[in-house]
């Protein structure tokens, strides 16, 4: 079956611009996570959705970052006034239930480069 | 502060030999530990996990050992195969409100298995 998909696969933007990154989770998965992986680092938790609501947004670095999941399926991560330090791979993961952690399935990521 | 640490950025082993990847952690509240494998341009893929109440979990060629007193875990791969060459991330989960678990990742170890 189809896995987690993310679009675009690559995004180049200029400092100060607004970007949107999309995640399509595995069909039927209710839990959705966003992580960010900077060069030489492991993935860093940003936000977790259970259904349509953000159950844990403690990893969002500041108020330039926002994510939505209006219908409980597709999620969009939005970054305003991008900065060069936002350059990273943004990973999305989904899981069927809010339970065993090994059910988190990751997408291939969106590589964001802010010039 | 880095709650999950992988102090070896890289490891090279011969095909057929054992690969041992190490991970240390600082937070005694972690309830699950996981290993993920990542190929270039792909998202992390779950490999194996261990509950904090266990000291060993085995799945085929992969075994994870947990030493809670030392706050240390290791992943053993026997025998190593060239297809095992990838970046391996150690991750830990902290329960959030009894629901799902966000993951805290280490910085990864690049394993190269030489034919």
């Amino acid at each position: 079956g189809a896995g987690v998909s993310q679009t675009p696969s690559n995004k180049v933007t200029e400092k100060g611009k607004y970007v949107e990154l999309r995640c399509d989770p595995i069909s039927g998965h209710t839990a959705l996570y966003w992580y960010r992986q900077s060069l030489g680092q492991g993935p860093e938790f940003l936000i977790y959705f259970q259904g349509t609501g953000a159950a844990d947004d403690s990893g969002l670095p500041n108020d330039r970052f926002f994510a939505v999941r209006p219908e409980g399926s597709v999620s969009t991560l939005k970054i305003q006034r991008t900065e060069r330090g936002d350059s990273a791979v943004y990973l999305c993961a989904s899981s069927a239930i809010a339970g065993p952690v090994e059910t988190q399935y990751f997408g291939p990521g969106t590589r964001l480069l802010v010039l | 502060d880095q709650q999950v640490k992988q102090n070896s950025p890289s490891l090279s082993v011969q095909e057929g030999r054992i690969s041992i990847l190490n991970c240390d952690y600082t937070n005694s509240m972690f309830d699950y530990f996981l290993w993920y494998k990542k190929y270039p341009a792909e998202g992390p893929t779950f490999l194996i996990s261990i509950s904090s109440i266990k000291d060993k979990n085995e799945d085929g060629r992969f075994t994870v050992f947990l030493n809670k007193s030392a706050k240390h875990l290791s992943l053993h791969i026997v025998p190593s195969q060239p297809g095992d060459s990838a970046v391996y991330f150690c991750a830990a989960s902290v329960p959030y409100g009894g629901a799902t678990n966000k993951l805290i990742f280490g910085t990864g170890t690049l394993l190269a298995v030489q034919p």
Side-chain angles (χ1 to χ4, degrees):
Chain A
V4 178
S5 63
Q6 293 186 244
T7 54
S9 54
N10 293 281
K11 176 71 177 178
V12 181
T13 191
E14 294 179 344
K15 180 176 178 293
K17 298 289 189 182
Y18 168 82
V19 296
E20 290 189 351
L21 312 179
R22 177 186 167 109
C23 172
D24 279 273
I26 294 172
S27 178
H29 280 193
T30 60
L32 185 146
Y33 304 78
W34 284 98
Y35 292 84
R36 176 171 72 172
Q37 186 177 10
S38 301
L39 194 61
Q41 301 297 314
E44 177 187 20
F45 171 78
L46 296 177
I47 187 170
Y48 155 63
F49 286 91
Q50 179 57 30
T52 60
D56 181 3
D57 64 358
S58 62
L60 294 178
N62 52 60
D63 61 6
R64 295 187 298 105
F65 289 74
F66 189 71
V68 296
R69 195 186 185 199
E71 297 178 357
S73 179
V74 170
S75 176
T76 304
L77 179 66
K78 308 181 181 194
I79 310 174
Q80 299 178 324
R81 305 182 305 279
T82 53
E83 300 178 356
R84 293 192 179 88
D86 299 334
S87 298
V89 176
Y90 289 81
L91 293 163
C92 176
S94 71
S95 67
I97 57 174
V101 293
E102 54 261 48
T103 59
Q104 284 192 38
Y105 297 91
F106 282 82
T110 292
R111 285 151 191 77
L112 176 65
L113 177 61
V114 182
L115 300 176
Chain B
D1 65 339
Q2 193 75 20
Q3 296 188 67
V4 178
K5 301 177 184 179
Q6 294 177 257
N7 293 316
S8 297
S10 63
L11 175 67
S12 182
V13 299
Q14 289 294 123
E15 181 178 6
R17 307 297 284 268
I18 184 172
S19 295
I20 300 177
L21 297 100
N22 293 303
C23 178
D24 297 290
Y25 63 95
T26 58
N27 190 340
S28 59
M29 296 300 292
F30 291 145
D31 66 343
Y32 266 93
F33 301 91
L34 310 90
W35 286 93
Y36 276 80
K37 177 180 178 179
K38 186 179 183 304
Y39 293 117
E42 294 183 11
T45 303
F46 169 74
L47 197 56
I48 191 170
S49 67
I50 188 167
S51 166
S52 60
I53 63 172
K54 305 278 190 183
D55 56 16
K56 177 181 176 181
N57 187 28
E58 187 173 355
D59 183 3
R61 297 186 297 114
F62 303 92
T63 303
V64 57
F65 295 92
L66 175 62
N67 182 334
K68 286 189 69 175
S69 62
K71 293 191 173 68
H72 178 84
L73 65 156
S74 60
L75 174 68
H76 293 210
I77 306 174
V78 181
S80 301
Q81 300 174 353
D84 296 330
S85 299
V87 176
Y88 288 79
F89 289 101
C90 172
S93 75
V94 181
Y96 180 76
T100 194
N101 308 306
K102 61 184 178 184
L103 298 178
I104 298 174
F105 285 84
T107 53
T109 296
L110 174 62
L111 173 66
V113 181
Q114 309 296 331

